[in-house]
Amino acid sequence: MEDKILKSSIERFKRTPMPKQPPEVRIRNFNEVALGFTPEQAMNEAKRCLQCPEPKCIGGCPVEINIPLFIKQIAEGNFDAAIKTIRETNNLPAITGRVCPQEVQCEGVCVLAKRNAPLAIGALERFAADYELSKGGPKVAEVAKKTGKKVAVVGSGPAGLTVAGDLAKLGHEVTIFEALHAPGGVLAYGIPEFRLPKSILNTEVNYVKQLGAEIKLDVVIGRTLTIEELFEMGFNAVFIGTGAGSPKFLNIPGEELNGVYSANEFLTRCNLMKAYKFGEYDTPIKVGENVTVVGAGNTAMDSARTALRLGAANVTIVYRRTEAEMPARAEEIENAKEEGVKLQLLTNPIKLIGENGWVKRMECIKMQLGEADESGRRRPVPIPNSNFYFDSDQVIIAIGRYPNPIIAQTTKGLKVTKDGLIIADEKGRTSRKGIWAGGDIVTGEATVISAMGAGKKAAKDMHEYLMKL
Amino acid sequence: MHKILKKVQLCPIVYLMEVEAPLIARKNKPGQFVVLRVYEKGERIPLTIVNSDEKRGSITLIFQVAGKTTKLLSKLNEGDYIMNIVGPLGKPTEIEHYGTVVLIGGGVGAAEIYPEAKAFKAAGNYVIGIVGARTASLLILENELKQVCNEFYIATDDGSKGHHGFVSDVLKQLIDKGVKIDLVYAVGPTIMMKVISNLTKPYGIKTLVSLNPIMLDATGMCGVCRVKVGGEIKFACVDGPEFDGHLVDFDLLIARQRTYLDEEKKILEIYEEMEKS
């Protein structure tokens, strides 16, 4: 008897690993890396949940999914109920199950984490969402009676899709305006197929459409139409979810050389324009022999792994801090390392050196960690006279993005910070009545789920506002 | 989807298309451009808006057949559709009363100075137009420009019409004659814009150039169109496309424009092979 209890408690500490394509196979294709749990794996993993009386995981989730409940439902094999529970607060579970940084959210506060490994909440969320997809996709929720109120949503990324879905469900007439020719924002142009298949994105976008939201593509708000004009056209409220779309560069000599890409350009060519199928698709992309990616966030990992798949011989991440400070999701860092991406840590590029207009080498300086900065992370400090060079015929800069300034420049009375972020309170209200904002355009670069969380809160407040009109 | 209302072949390699785009037509100002994608698997390319008609809800584009995308576009006919058009993008030209404005268009750039000529004329400027082409048969919008410009000159590389030589020679002659020029506005091949800017610089003549780097989203998102202006990096799609010609690093722009030459050739070859079979 004791043995059995002991065995079950040991089982409890063992996290079910995510089945994945083997590294040597997956670096030759763009298919999804993580394959997802089988029903049996999902149920076994779900049974590890302690069903804490005061669960911490819910608070760790930016959209407060009732995690213990959906886990219990999976453990019981009631997958339909599980996805229903998730969908109560999360419109895009197949996406968040794949791209959330669970280790700093729900899984980061999971009690099991202290003993060994946290419950695989993200993988289970994804399992439930994929189960639903395999059964023909989400059942369209009942839509409330038409309110006759019109809402414009600017941007079709995670924040915009959430607001649109929630407000359409409440009976408002919602139009999403998207600048690009495909919906999804960063989910379409930024996150690669091997991490978030476009088919998954399309299902979630279609769900929002089925709720009644209309998506107008190829409309740049601030250019094609201004926010003022949206009000003139009869929209009663506007949500701005335009994200952080303008790439940062290093501002070092040589950055203008051919072969130097912003991560946004590199990933947009590959993801949105399908340049990895060049020949069938018309948009070209270059790939070097020795590719260097500067930065260590998810975008950097995505760029590095994309370069490998395009056929780069060597891909190196250059980062000025250590692995412990790398901001990417733990799983993506692990995946990148498995695939052969090298890490050149405590290193900062100071010059790009070209030949005939093309980048060939990089001059770097070694760094060491000094005092903690405002972010709490130890500040990297250059070590004098530690300069060194290495060959790099392609450099991808993935050090972050600024907010796109077009809307702030063209909307009177909309207050922004000195960095160009739109100022909004926790309900998403901006300085202009009738205009809400949320996601990266308010917070600066953050996560898909926090943008969705902001969208949820804004939608709730917008609904109250609209019903009083 | 944008319906093609009118298609005219202006010369063996240049086409005019009037396409339905009511929202863009309402907003367009001289100097702005659109990005279009011909079909599902196509690339996004920028094209200057040559004219817009708010009543007809249409814009006019003029393009030279150069690669696969423009070739595909040239095969479309009236009644066909272009899959995506987004705009108007870029900052409009600041149309002011300068006095005498010389507008210079090289090749298909002649189309791009047409809306500028109209706008500068309407603002009370004395407008001198200079257009250049390799040979007389490639000249476009000659009559239209003649009508709107106070003076109009032609230069051809082979001397088949107008001045035998380059547009820059004509400009030089005007300067040498003592014509007081308050603004030069040049659009065309990058090398032409470089030569013009180098020519006007010692005379201190304000010179605007409309740059045509590679673009992708053209909303400030990717940075591929970055150009060096006065030592600073600018994104041509949102900070331009017009810049002070005396500050632009043209050699860098020329190098960056050549990034995908091999790929452009390859995709065109694949397409032409397919067409044959």
Side-chain angles (χ1 to χ4, degrees), chain A residues 261-409:
Chain A
Y261 286 72
S262 74
N264 262 13
E265 183 197 346
F266 189 71
L267 292 173
T268 300
R269 283 184 183 276
C270 215
N271 300 329
L272 180 73
M273 306 309 296
K274 306 235 177 331
Y276 66 95
K277 295 184 190 169
F278 181 70
E280 181 192 348
Y281 285 76
D282 297 343
T283 303
I285 194 164
K286 292 275 185 193
V287 65
E289 272 290 293
N290 298 299
V291 179
T292 309
V293 179
V294 182
N298 287 322
T299 308
M301 298 304 136
D302 288 344
S303 302
R305 298 170 68 200
T306 296
L308 269 183
R309 284 160 175 76
L310 288 170
N314 297 297
V315 180
T316 308
I317 297 244
V318 166
Y319 181 49
R320 56 199 185 128
R321 293 182 159 104
T322 72
E323 194 174 335
E325 288 85 20
M326 285 171 69
R329 283 178 89 214
E331 193 182 325
E332 306 316 331
I333 298 173
E334 187 193 311
N335 283 337
K337 282 165 51 180
E338 276 177 14
E339 289 167 12
V341 172
K342 294 176 198 118
L343 304 182
Q344 175 73 46
L345 303 165
L346 291 167
T347 300
N348 207 26
I350 54 173
K351 190 178 179 186
L352 305 178
I353 301 151
E355 247 171 57
N356 304 321
W358 290 82
V359 67
K360 283 287 173 266
R361 289 204 308 160
M362 189 183 245
E363 182 180 348
C364 292
I365 191 160
K366 293 219 165 93
M367 309 291 277
Q368 59 190 356
L369 291 184
E371 301 290 308
D373 63 12
E374 320 82 73
S375 74
R377 295 185 302 178
R378 290 175 65 193
R379 192 191 300 273
V381 190
I383 302 173
N385 304 317
S386 64
N387 299 32
F388 66 106
Y389 296 82
F390 61 88
D391 289 346
S392 182
D393 53 356
Q394 185 172 36
V395 176
I396 301 166
I397 315 287
I399 55 166
R401 306 173 178 108
Y402 298 107
N404 193 313
I406 294 180
I407 288 195
Q409 284 168 359

Side-chain angles (χ1 to χ4, degrees), chain A residues 34-222:
Chain A
L35 302 171
F37 284 158
T38 61
E40 197 193 0
Q41 285 170 327
M43 285 166 74
N44 282 341
E45 178 65 16
K47 282 175 192 154
R48 290 179 63 221
C49 179
L50 297 172
Q51 291 292 320
C52 305
E54 285 172 41
K56 291 216 166 71
C57 49
I58 300 179
C61 173
V63 296
E64 298 180 347
I65 297 173
N66 189 340
I67 294 168
L69 178 60
F70 96 74
I71 299 290
K72 186 164 170 275
Q73 289 161 332
I74 289 180
E76 289 163 353
N78 193 352
F79 307 145
D80 291 293
I83 187 62
K84 206 170 155 227
T85 302
I86 296 170
R87 281 213 177 263
E88 271 166 30
T89 57
N90 181 353
N91 299 10
L92 312 167
I95 295 172
T96 52
R98 285 170 165 83
V99 305
C100 265
Q102 288 94 0
E103 70 271 17
V104 295
Q105 296 173 343
C106 53
E107 294 181 19
V109 291
C110 174
V111 173
L112 285 171
K114 289 188 192 133
R115 303 299 296 268
N116 188 344
L119 188 70
I121 301 170
L124 289 168
E125 180 188 32
R126 174 194 160 155
F127 168 79
D130 286 358
Y131 165 82
E132 179 189 49
L133 290 178
S134 73
K135 299 283 166 198
K139 281 181 204 69
V140 179
E142 216 164 291
V143 173
K145 206 170 125 256
K146 292 271 169 249
T147 62
K149 302 292 192 300
K150 283 174 74 178
V151 179
V153 172
V154 186
S156 66
L161 286 176
T162 303
V163 170
D166 282 8
L167 290 179
K169 230 187 275 182
L170 291 163
H172 304 296
E173 192 184 316
V174 180
T175 308
I176 304 179
F177 295 95
E178 167 57 48
L180 292 172
H181 61 252
V186 71
L187 307 170
Y189 73 76
I191 302 179
E193 184 75 15
F194 57 80
R195 200 148 76 79
L196 175 66
K198 296 292 166 289
S199 59
I200 299 280
L201 170 62
N202 292 340
T203 310
E204 301 285 18
V205 168
N206 281 335
Y207 179 72
V208 173
K209 279 193 201 164
Q210 280 164 15
L211 290 172
E214 190 191 351
I215 303 185
K216 286 200 188 294
L217 301 171
D218 296 322
V219 179
V220 183
I221 298 299

